[in-house]
Amino acid sequence: MAHASVASLVRTIESLLTSNSPMQSLTCDHSEDLSALHEKISSLEVFLRNFEKNNVSGEMTDLELQVKEVANIVEHTIQVRVTEVLEDDENQREKAQERLSDSLLLVAEDIDRIWKESTKIQNKGKHALKESTAQEFPRSSRNILNVENSMVGRDDQRKRLVQNLTRSYSGEPKVIPIVAMGGIGKTTLANEVYNDACIRSHFDVCAWATVSQQHNVKEILLSLLRSTKGDTFDMNDEAELANMLQKSLKAHDAGTKNLCLQMDLMGPDESWNLFKSVALANEALPSEFETIGKQIADECHGLPLTIAVVAGLLKSKRAIENWKSVEEDVNSFVSNDPDERCSRVVGLSYDHLTSDLKACLLHFGIFPEGSEIPVKNLMRSWMAEGFLKLENDLEREAKKCLQELVDRCLVLVCKKSLDGTKIRSCKVHDLIYGLCLREIRRGNVFIMNDIVLYVADPECLDLSMHKMQPFKRVPGDLIDNPYFGLHRALLTPVHRQLRDHDNNDLLKQTCSIFSFHLNDSRFILKLELIHFKLLKVLVLRHRDIDNFPLQILSLIWLRYLSLVVHGHLLIPPEIFRLWNLQTLVVKEYDPSFVTCPVQIWELVQLRHLKLPRFYLPDRPSVSVDKERDMGFSNLLTTSRLSSCCCMREVIMGIQNVKKLEISGDEDDYESFWESGLVNNLVHLHQLETLSLTGTYILWPRTLPASTPSAKSFPATLKKLNLTSTYLSWSYLDIIAELPNLEVLKLMGFACCGEGEEWHPIVMGFNRLKILLIERSFLKYGKATDDNFPVLERLVLINCKCLKEIPIEFAEIHSLQLIEVDLCLIELGESAARIRQQQQDLGNNPLDVRISHPLLRQNISESAAEVVTKLVGFRESGEHWLIGCQQQFHCSYKSVVLA
């Protein structure tokens, strides 16, 4: 784990040496010492990377341990001393400067000692550091998103389950438990069945819930309600949620008569097929590889997780020595207990990871078991923690790490982007999660514990009564207690070197705080933040935060900050003190607006800025030589920037941004289109994704006569999302000219008017692969391969006026998927006709997915007439209940049929 510690230390020193750092003036007297220290540590980082790559054993372990401990101590010492320099008292600052000088001399001696030791080992063991004779095949060119959590060898069981669930109605609803040991593939099989096209078309409601050992009942109920009703819910009462779910599924009682699937271990052929699909992507290899591969698969004793993890070890290994070595390791795990054998194999895979990958994998252990984790948050916290190798493009390095973990079958992909190019969320298997917890307890990377805010007297809500109880593990039965606030803390493991093991030292060791299950908690970790001087990551999810906690402003080492707020948020001018901040995320609990001070431009390290609709002031006027230090030159993504502030000064300050979301100002609609906003976007030469969001209050106002041209948009634009913009359909002719546009999403009445017809221009959208239209009054649209020559996916959601997809879509040979949700039955039928036409033409099979089909009926029909028709549908075996209920908007609350 030495590499992660050294990488974090290097970044800390670099932040002190950066020319535009607010801390430079405070540390300028020490710049020479810091530069010399930086040079030695950077060389040590390179040495460690090569040492680890060549997999030298013995001395490597001892050296890594020494380097890790020294790096942690050096970073901790520097951060503490620099923090002391910021004290308000001038005499204290002078003394702190002296202590900083002394500390830099001491840590330099430690680094010299380690460097000499590494040089000695390097000279002595050059013969062991020679390049490996292993022939490494080029890494697969597959995109990370093409790695599926797919099921191999269970197709018969999948078909049997689908058949059991969809066979004609027998009078009793069905629950089918899938029973087997851990790691055999129960969840994978259930997921395959859940997403099966037959299941999706057969049932009106499909809901997925994960119940882990330490589960949150309210979150499970909310998840099920969102699946069944498609709405968002804001209520805290668990009983009320349960009652609502019961009503939405009334008479759908569960029966288990004679329905239970007992999964067996895989046979030799199934095991080998799974092994091949992971390790080889079914490529051809010499017979000696196949012989050893089959032996390895056999030694896994038919357990799919074990097979997949071992195969992941060999995914990029194409030297026979590697395969033989793995075979010996797996063969040594002789045990009659399959769970123990699986745990050992998982541990083997973990041991083969590089130190940065180990740190990234263990990070999953801080989240509740079974959590589906947003990838953006995960990767940005990796960057903030300092886990990644020292690369200029940290985002690319984070993606590489995630891809490696997915390739090794240690991380599961949950959700993907619509175009299939990015992972949106992921998680780990519960056996992998157990490994993470075991390794975390060893404290080699970080120490994990809990901080609890509690009140002695639950009847008393006086804040003076509550107390912080740091570093106590919270029992599972107390996690959901409203009188507790659970915060998970990560500490830097430097125990043995600290003189005093009192609570104050532990507070200074805390590098990250994540909050969980805080929606109902009575108390917020706010006043206590002043004690955590060296925090790098802070995630506060408490929804009762109504102002910016001023205590955060003292956390000068903070790199990642995430808050949940309600109401108007005023960011204080002192925000510039957070000069290390890379990611700032503010999520809204209710509609809110954020006002930023001009000093926010001084956060020059900022890479990701995600706020509710916010106003960004013009950059302050500075001299030419300082202008480069007053912009967001590192900013890559920003969302919900108010349209009224998107003038040239602001746009030029974020000109390296790759992803931008702009929200229309409801008080000044014309500025969205006529003030030059869109024309200013041409200065964003790196922009790839643009989202423009209007406001529902404006409807049905129409677009002003003067509109921008295609040249107003950056030529680099690949994705365009329009929401509530109320453009005329003819305006899309301009968008069709964008040369690199691959994804177009038209959501929430993005276009309207002109009889609600769309006639795309010929030879437009030359690179468009994904077209999504959601919540639209569109009645007619026409398209052929001349309009969308490379279209791959057509997604129509809640388009209740559209009766038909033109049959000419069958002429688009690249078309792979048509997805229809909450639309008329006729629309789904036309999609089916296109699929048949594609087959008749001999094209590649077209996937058609239809969900929640709606019936076109007279809105004035009485509830009684509706019920009569629904009974008829039930008797005919049709399942349209939810769709009918949403379409008619009748006075009755619910009509439920078994």
Side-chain angles (χ1 to χ4, degrees):
M1 295 305 173
H3 188 276
S5 299
V6 171
S8 181
L9 172 59
V10 172
R11 289 199 176 91
T12 294
I13 297 177
E14 286 177 345
S15 67
L16 295 172
L17 292 173
T18 304
S19 61
N20 54 12
S21 165
M23 293 299 297
Q24 190 192 26
S25 60
L26 297 175
T27 59
C28 60
D29 294 339
H30 315 285
S31 59
E32 188 173 326
D33 293 334
L34 287 169
S35 297
L37 195 61
H38 178 265
E39 183 177 353
K40 291 179 180 178
I41 297 173
S42 298
S43 299
L44 189 61
E45 192 271 339
V46 174
F47 167 77
L48 280 173
R49 185 186 301 182
N50 293 332
F51 215 51
E52 185 177 65
K53 179 180 178 181
N54 289 282
N55 197 24
V56 178
S57 58
E59 291 173 311
M60 177 62 177
T61 302
D62 296 334
L63 178 65
E64 272 197 319
L65 180 63
Q66 294 180 55
V67 172
K68 176 179 69 68
E69 290 186 347
V70 169
N72 287 339
I73 294 166
V74 170
E75 182 174 25
H76 182 268
T77 301
I78 291 176
Q79 290 179 331
V80 169
R81 295 297 178 236
V82 171
T83 304
E84 291 172 348
V85 172
L86 289 175
E87 295 293 334
D88 294 333
D89 185 271
E90 186 173 347
N91 292 329
Q92 292 295 326
R93 286 202 304 270
E94 291 180 1
K95 293 179 181 179
Q97 289 279 11
E98 295 175 2
R99 289 195 295 269
L100 177 59
S101 295
D102 294 340
S103 296
L104 287 175
L105 291 175
L106 291 175
V107 299
E109 292 176 3
D110 288 336
I111 294 297
D112 281 339
R113 176 174 55 81
I114 290 295
W115 175 246
K116 289 177 182 177
E117 185 70 18
S118 65
T119 303
K120 187 188 305 181
I121 295 174
Q122 189 176 19
N123 292 334
K124 184 175 65 174
K126 280 185 178 180
H127 63 280
L129 294 174
K130 65 186 180 214
E131 287 297 322
S132 171
T133 57
Q135 178 189 359
E136 298 285 350
F137 279 29
R139 183 171 297 276
S140 172
S141 60
R142 292 180 305 161
N143 187 284
I144 183 172
L145 266 299
N146 290 333
V147 178
E148 299 279 357
N149 305 319
S150 58
M151 178 179 60
V152 176
R154 303 290 192 185
D155 199 50
D156 290 342
Q157 292 176 326
R158 179 187 62 81
K159 290 178 180 178
R160 180 152 56 94
L161 281 174
V162 171
Q163 192 176 50
N164 285 338
L165 287 168
T166 57
R167 66 177 50 165
S168 60
Y169 181 70
S170 61
E172 182 184 13
K174 301 162 186 172
V175 168
I176 306 180
I178 303 175
V179 182
M181 61 178 292
I184 204 168
K186 299 184 296 295
T187 303
T188 303
L189 176 58
N191 187 60
E192 291 277 342
V193 173
Y194 178 77
N195 289 299
D196 189 274
C198 294
I199 295 293
R200 288 292 184 171
S201 62
H202 184 82
F203 292 99
D204 297 312
V205 178
C206 295
W208 180 278
T210 300
V211 184
S212 59
Q213 292 184 4
Q214 290 190 352
H215 55 272
N216 185 308
V217 175
K218 194 180 73 175
E219 289 300 321
I220 293 172
L221 291 171
L222 283 170
S223 174
L224 291 172
L225 274 169
R226 293 186 191 108
S227 297
T228 58
K229 299 178 74 68
D231 298 324
T232 57
F233 300 89
D234 175 26
M235 58 183 68
N236 299 321
D237 188 85
E238 190 175 296
E240 186 178 353
L241 286 169
N243 184 52
M244 181 179 293
L245 180 61
Q246 189 269 343
K247 287 181 178 180
S248 68
L249 299 175
K250 191 175 181 181
H252 290 255
D253 299 298
T256 58
K257 182 179 180 181
N258 299 323
L259 292 174
C260 180
L261 177 66
Q262 177 72 48
M263 293 185 69
D264 297 322
L265 296 169
M266 284 184 162
D269 291 339
E270 292 176 321
S271 298
W272 172 237
N273 288 335
L274 175 58
F275 184 92
K276 283 195 302 182
S277 68
V278 176
L280 310 174
N282 293 313
E283 65 180 284
L285 280 181
S287 59
E288 56 180 337
F289 284 88
E290 182 172 337
T291 300
I292 296 178
K294 285 184 176 180
Q295 292 173 352
I296 294 174
D298 288 342
E299 290 297 333
C300 294
H301 297 280
L303 193 61
L305 179 62
T306 304
I307 298 168
V309 169
V310 173
L313 274 173
L314 297 171
K315 182 179 287 287
S316 61
K317 305 295 184 183
R318 295 299 179 265
I320 196 67
E321 291 79 10
N322 294 130
W323 287 53
K324 289 180 179 179
S325 175
V326 169
E327 182 196 8
E328 293 174 2
D329 289 334
V330 175
N331 190 42
S332 67
F333 296 150
V334 178
S335 172
N336 293 326
D337 184 348
D339 288 334
E340 181 181 350
R341 187 164 56 241
C342 184
S343 296
R344 290 180 180 181
V345 169
V346 168
L348 172 66
S349 181
Y350 174 79
D351 291 338
H352 276 72
L353 296 176
T354 57
S355 59
D356 53 338
L357 288 176
K358 287 179 179 177
C360 291
L361 180 63
L362 294 192
H363 207 248
F364 284 88
I366 70 174
F367 300 95
E369 183 183 0
S371 295
E372 185 175 321
I373 307 166
V375 163
K376 289 180 182 177
N377 299 348
L378 182 70
M379 294 196 300
R380 291 169 189 174
S381 61
W382 286 351
M383 291 187 285
E385 298 282 4
F387 292 159
L388 305 176
K389 293 176 182 176
L390 297 174
E391 304 288 346
N392 291 329
D393 192 337
L394 286 176
E395 282 73 15
R396 181 178 298 175
E397 184 64 24
K399 290 177 181 178
K400 282 172 59 180
C401 286
L402 181 61
Q403 178 171 356
E404 189 73 26
L405 293 173
V406 170
D407 285 348
R408 291 173 179 262
C409 299
L410 296 173
V411 171
L412 304 175
V413 176
C414 296
K415 290 187 177 69
K416 306 174 184 178
S417 60
L418 187 63
D419 60 0
T421 60
K422 295 180 181 177
I423 299 177
R424 294 301 187 200
S425 63
C426 61
K427 65 178 182 179
V428 293
H429 189 279
D430 53 359
L431 292 178
I432 305 294
Y433 184 79
L435 174 135
C436 292
L437 293 184
R438 290 194 298 273
E439 291 297 324
I440 288 173
R441 291 189 189 105
R442 295 174 62 184
N444 287 332
V445 181
F446 50 76
I447 300 166
M448 184 175 75
N449 231 315
D450 297 331
I451 301 173
V452 182
L453 297 179
Y454 74 100
V455 63
D457 181 6
E459 300 298 324
C460 177
L461 299 182
D462 184 1
L463 286 179
S464 64
M465 293 290 293
H466 90 275
K467 179 183 179 182
M468 181 177 72
Q469 189 180 45
F471 317 124
K472 303 289 184 183
R473 294 309 301 268
V474 178
D477 58 343
L478 294 180
I479 287 180
D480 295 325
N481 191 314
Y483 298 106
F484 286 77
L486 174 61
H487 304 266
R488 183 141 290 159
L490 305 186
L491 286 73
T492 303
V494 292
H495 285 299
R496 280 168 285 188
Q497 297 294 332
L498 290 176
R499 295 179 180 176
D500 301 319
H501 295 289
D502 59 16
N503 198 48
N504 187 49
D505 281 327
L506 293 177
L507 294 173
K508 288 181 180 178
Q509 281 179 242
T510 306
C511 57
S512 306
I513 293 178
F514 297 83
S515 58
F516 300 102
H517 306 312
L518 292 184
N519 282 346
D520 302 328
S521 176
R522 301 289 178 89
F523 305 110
I524 309 171
L525 184 73
K526 188 161 64 173
L527 299 175
E528 297 77 14
L529 289 174
I530 194 71
H531 303 298
F532 299 95
K533 296 289 188 181
L534 306 186
L535 276 185
K536 297 176 183 176
V537 176
L538 177 61
V539 178
L540 293 180
R541 292 188 174 93
H542 202 295
R543 70 185 185 189
D544 286 342
I545 298 178
D546 55 4
N547 55 59
F548 193 93
L550 297 180
Q551 294 79 8
I552 292 177
L553 298 173
S554 64
L555 308 179
I556 64 170
W557 301 102
L558 205 61
R559 297 174 182 168
Y560 183 104
L561 174 60
S562 178
L563 303 172
V564 176
V565 300
H566 68 85
H568 183 92
L569 179 68
L570 181 65
I571 295 181
E574 294 81 5
I575 189 70
F576 73 90
R577 294 178 182 173
L578 305 182
W579 50 281
N580 276 302
L581 205 60
Q582 297 173 349
T583 300
L584 175 57
V585 177
V586 176
K587 299 178 181 178
E588 56 184 339
Y589 175 66
D590 54 14
S592 54
F593 187 84
V594 176
T595 299
C596 299
V598 69
Q599 289 84 357
I600 198 171
W601 286 103
E602 298 183 43
L603 299 180
V604 293
Q605 304 298 329
L606 205 61
R607 305 172 75 89
H608 306 283
L609 180 61
K610 182 177 181 180
L611 305 175
R613 192 166 61 91
F614 72 102
Y615 182 86
L616 186 62
D618 288 349
R619 286 185 298 170
S621 300
V622 293
S623 58
V624 176
D625 61 328
K626 287 188 176 182
E627 185 175 357
R628 62 185 177 88
D629 298 336
M630 289 300 295
F632 291 145
S633 59
N634 292 307
L635 193 67
L636 300 177
T637 66
T638 185
S639 61
R640 304 211 64 191
L641 181 64
S642 176
S643 61
C644 61
C645 64
C646 292
M647 300 301 101
R648 189 176 186 278
E649 274 299 310
V650 170
I651 295 298
M652 293 300 292
I654 61 172
Q655 57 184 307
N656 292 327
V657 72
K658 292 185 176 180
K659 184 176 181 179
L660 174 63
E661 180 181 345
I662 299 176
S663 290
D665 187 355
E666 57 196 44
D667 297 324
D668 188 14
Y669 177 65
E670 281 73 19
S671 69
F672 199 89
W673 300 107
E674 292 192 330
S675 65
L677 178 156
V678 177
N679 291 328
N680 289 328
L681 298 177
V682 74
H683 300 293
L684 303 178
H685 302 297
Q686 308 295 324
L687 190 65
E688 296 179 356
T689 301
L690 174 64
S691 298
L692 298 175
T693 303
T695 171
Y696 291 104
I697 297 176
L698 302 171
W699 188 82
R701 295 177 65 177
T702 57
L703 186 71
S706 175
T707 57
S709 67
K711 294 182 179 179
S712 303
F713 296 92
T716 53
L717 199 63
K718 294 182 179 179
K719 300 180 182 179
L720 178 61
N721 306 326
L722 301 176
T723 304
S724 304
T725 47
Y726 306 102
L727 296 168
S728 65
W729 288 100
S730 61
Y731 182 77
L732 295 181
D733 292 348
I734 296 173
I735 294 174
E737 297 177 19
L738 298 178
N740 293 298
L741 190 66
E742 296 179 358
V743 179
L744 176 61
K745 297 182 180 180
L746 306 174
M747 301 173 289
F749 311 109
C751 297
C752 60
E754 302 177 15
E756 299 298 343
E757 293 187 2
W758 181 22
H759 299 270
I761 61 171
V762 176
M763 301 307 293
F765 297 112
N766 286 326
R767 294 197 177 181
L768 193 71
K769 298 179 181 179
I770 313 292
L771 174 61
L772 179 147
I773 305 177
E774 180 181 9
R775 279 181 297 146
S776 170
F777 290 137
L778 181 65
K779 295 179 180 178
Y780 176 78
K782 183 179 181 181
T784 67
D785 56 350
D786 290 330
N787 305 112
F788 302 104
V790 295
L791 189 69
E792 296 177 359
R793 290 190 174 193
L794 173 65
V795 181
L796 302 171
I797 303 175
N798 210 350
C799 299
K800 297 179 180 178
C801 298
L802 190 61
K803 298 180 182 179
E804 183 181 26
I805 303 173
I807 193 64
E808 287 82 6
F809 264 80
E811 301 173 8
I812 304 176
H813 302 302
S814 56
L815 194 61
Q816 300 172 9
L817 170 67
I818 296 179
E819 187 171 345
V820 178
D821 187 16
L822 282 171
C823 296
L824 297 175
I825 294 175
E826 297 94 319
L827 193 65
E829 291 172 346
S830 69
R833 287 194 296 271
I834 292 173
R835 175 173 55 190
Q836 185 60 49
Q837 182 75 6
Q838 285 268 32
Q839 292 177 349
D840 294 343
L841 293 173
N843 295 333
N844 292 328
L846 175 64
D847 187 8
V848 174
R849 302 175 188 173
I850 303 173
S851 305
H852 306 99
L854 305 179
L855 297 177
R856 176 177 293 277
Q857 297 287 348
N858 187 339
I859 197 69
S860 64
E861 284 186 295
S862 67
E865 292 172 321
V866 173
V867 171
T868 301
K869 293 190 176 184
L870 288 174
V871 172
F873 287 130
R874 185 194 69 175
E875 293 175 349
S876 66
E878 300 292 340
H879 299 265
W880 307 112
L881 173 59
I882 300 299
C884 293
Q885 187 173 326
Q886 294 178 357
Q887 175 72 8
F888 281 107
H889 304 287
C890 295
S891 58
Y892 60 87
K893 291 185 177 179
S894 63
V895 177
V896 182
L897 303 174

